[in-house]
Every structure is written in structure tokens, then in C-alpha cells.
Amino acid sequence: MRKPYLGALLALTLLGAGAAPAIAATSQDTAATTAKSAQSTPSTAAAAHRSKPKPVDFAGTVALDNCSGFVVRMPQSRPNDPALLLSNGHCITEQDMPGPGEVVVDLPSKRTFGLLNAKAEQVAALTASKLAYATMTDTDISLYQLTSTYAQIKKQYGIKALELNTEHPRQGRAITVVSGYWKKTYGCKVDGFAYRLKEADWTWKDSLRYTADCQTIGGTSGSPVIDNRTGKVLAINNTGNNDGERCTLDNPCEVDRHGKVTVRHYINYAQQTYGIARCISWNSRVDLDRRGCRLPRPAGKS
């Protein structure tokens, strides 16, 4: 799990809040050269412009005291709805990390989050009203409901929430992992998907696997994984195999449909987020009974 470690915290202290942000990676496959642009007809130039990846920056991401996260909206979200903030289940501080099979709902919280602008500068401290949902079963997510609405954040700070993609990600898609904790980005591609990803006592379903370029570290947990082409969130960064061990803490292993175990040393993973939107109803309320919602439910609730 990508929580900060001592070395990371020391480095962050040495760097200070004024450290320059990294520049987001872009896809060379779709970038048109100046010469080609000059020779293009108006119609082909317009097509080339539409195919260029959207720039990925830090706007809407947040720095937690132990992880990364981001303000997120659903396709059905309205401006005056309370804003939601997404991070990992293992990043919550209101209680211990959720155990296998444990689901946390509607837990009071006054946790604060440092909201970043496009240049990774902190422009506000957002406050939670509650921890609306958290689990480390099947996935690894926490959803905080904030005291501010989407409209208030946009009006006061000029920042729009990141939007979830609502379809399963595609293999080979160029992505950027954006860490608000480190104010750093990691560029790579979707390498594939793990049927089951097992780490210590936890098991996650259909986890997204990065190509080796995304060498995420402690503190990047909770970072949005952004599709470079659409600018929408495909997944949430959560773990990687540090030591080459098999299925232990900080060393997840992949388990296929037949039970075969594969260890990929130095490879990192994220949990897909496309299904979350189906579990959010009016006024940003988490509704696990909503049609199509497949998030795990608290024990005793079928």
C-alpha cells in the first residue's frame, strides 16, 4: 500500500511546500509536429487538434497528511451538491484501516485537505463533514463528503472537480498518475488487469496494472489515474510490489481465474473507479441500494 514511509516524509520536509511541480507526461503517439501542422488542410488540422491528449495538471487534486486524493464529481452531480473527495480506504484516519469484509459508512469527520491548483499550489483547505464510505474489500476507496459544494469551490478557487469515467478502462491507454502529496506526476500506460490482486489479508478485484514507467512511491496512494485522451479519472492509485515477495504487505500478487499466482516486482497498481458513480444518488449521497451499485455493503446488509 502506498502510504508514506519515513524516508518519504523526511524528503518532503527537506523539499518544502515551495518545491517545483513535475510536468505532466503527454503522449508522443498523438502529438503532431509543427511541420505536419503547417502542411495540413483545415479539416485535417482540426482532426489532429481533436486527437491531441488533453493536458493533465494538478487542479482538483488534494494533499492529505498521509496520502493523495482529489475532488470528484459524478456525471449526474449538480453544482449545489456537497462536493465529494476520493482517496484510498487505507488512507483514512478516523479509525484503523478497514479489515477484510469491513465497510465504513457515514462516519463523522472534520478532516482537512489541501486543495491544489493547476500549478500544484495549495489554494484552500477543504473540510469534510463526514466519511461517507470506505472499504478495502474488492476495492480500496474512501469517499468524503465536504462542507463545500462544487459551485462554491469553483467560484472561490476557480477549480472544477475531476470527473469519473463511467466505462471500463482500455488496455494500452496512455495515463497519468497525479500525486497531490508529492506534487508529482507519473506517466505510463494501462498494461492490463489483474483478475484478483492479493496483498496480505486483502483482495481486490479487476485491478488496473501499470506499465513499468509508473514507479509510484509512498504518499501516492489515493492519486487519480487520468486518461490522457479524455481528462477523466479511470482509477485510483493504491499499491505496488516493493520487494518481490509473494502476496505480503506492500508486495501484492496477482491471482488468475484458475488460482495461478504471479508476482511482478516493481510493478504498481490502481483500483478502477467507473462503478462508483452508480452508487451516488441525489445530494452526493452514497446509496448502496441504488440500481447497478456493486460496492461492498456493511456486514448484515444484503
Side-chain angles (χ1 to χ4, degrees):
M1 298 169 199
R2 294 306 191 197
K3 296 185 77 171
Y5 44 85
L6 183 59
L9 290 172
L10 177 60
L12 184 62
T13 302
L14 294 174
L15 285 170
I23 299 174
T26 58
S27 171
Q28 295 179 349
D29 295 335
T30 57
T33 63
T34 303
K36 287 184 178 179
S37 297
Q39 296 171 3
S40 298
T41 65
S43 59
T44 57
H49 176 75
R50 288 193 299 270
S51 68
K52 285 184 178 180
K54 295 185 178 181
V56 175
D57 57 37
F58 294 88
T61 62
V62 302
L64 285 68
D65 51 3
N66 62 346
C67 289
S68 300
F70 55 102
V71 181
V72 63
R73 65 185 176 92
M74 311 299 150
Q76 68 270 27
S77 295
R78 299 171 298 181
N80 291 325
D81 288 343
L84 293 173
L85 187 140
L86 186 58
S87 188
N88 283 145
H90 75 260
C91 293
I92 66 173
T93 57
E94 293 76 12
Q95 63 166 59
D96 292 337
M97 292 190 303
E102 183 179 2
V103 175
V104 180
V105 293
D106 294 335
L107 189 65
S109 177
K110 294 184 179 179
R111 193 173 188 183
T112 59
F113 314 91
L115 177 66
L116 305 184
N117 64 13
K119 297 180 180 180
E121 301 164 335
Q122 181 169 326
V123 295
L126 302 177
T127 304
S129 61
K130 66 179 178 180
L131 174 58
Y133 183 88
T135 192
M136 292 177 64
T137 299
D138 295 349
T139 186
D140 183 8
I141 63 169
S142 58
L143 265 174
Y144 287 88
Q145 188 174 110
L146 303 180
T147 57
S148 303
T149 67
Y150 293 111
Q152 288 170 334
I153 294 173
K154 179 66 168 64
K155 181 178 179 180
Q156 294 177 21
Y157 312 113
I159 293 175
K160 295 175 62 177
L162 280 68
E163 184 176 343
L164 290 187
N165 178 63
T166 56
E167 297 179 355
H168 192 287
R170 296 181 181 181
Q171 187 174 9
R173 187 60 63 90
I175 55 176
T176 303
V177 183
V178 187
S179 171
Y181 183 91
W182 284 114
K183 300 178 175 61
K184 182 177 179 180
T185 63
Y186 302 80
C188 59
K189 293 184 178 181
V190 178
D191 184 56
F193 306 94
Y195 175 69
R196 297 290 184 267
L197 190 67
K198 181 174 175 57
E199 180 173 338
D201 295 329
W202 295 275
T203 300
W204 303 306
K205 296 180 178 179
D206 199 19
S207 300
L208 185 152
R209 181 177 60 246
Y210 308 140
T211 54
D213 306 82
C214 280
Q215 288 296 309
T216 52
I217 61 174
T220 62
S221 286
S223 299
V225 180
I226 297 177
D227 185 327
N228 289 358
R229 185 179 301 177
T230 66
K232 294 183 179 182
V233 177
L234 296 179
I236 182 169
N237 181 71
N238 81 309
T239 195
N241 190 293
N242 291 341
D243 308 306
E245 295 179 3
R246 176 185 169 113
C247 313
T248 62
L249 188 65
D250 296 326
N251 293 283
C253 63
E254 297 184 22
V255 183
D256 71 12
R257 295 177 182 273
H258 306 290
K260 179 183 177 181
V261 176
T262 301
V263 174
R264 301 179 189 269
H265 195 194
Y266 296 133
I267 292 300
N268 300 296
Y269 300 87
Q271 300 308 307
Q272 298 183 50
T273 52
Y274 70 93
I276 294 175
R278 301 172 185 173
C279 303
I280 307 300
S281 64
W282 64 275
N283 209 33
S284 297
R285 186 170 67 92
V286 176
D287 183 0
L288 300 178
D289 295 321
R290 196 165 185 258
R291 184 176 181 179
C293 177
R294 296 182 179 178
L295 286 177
R297 302 183 181 198
K301 186 175 182 180
S302 60

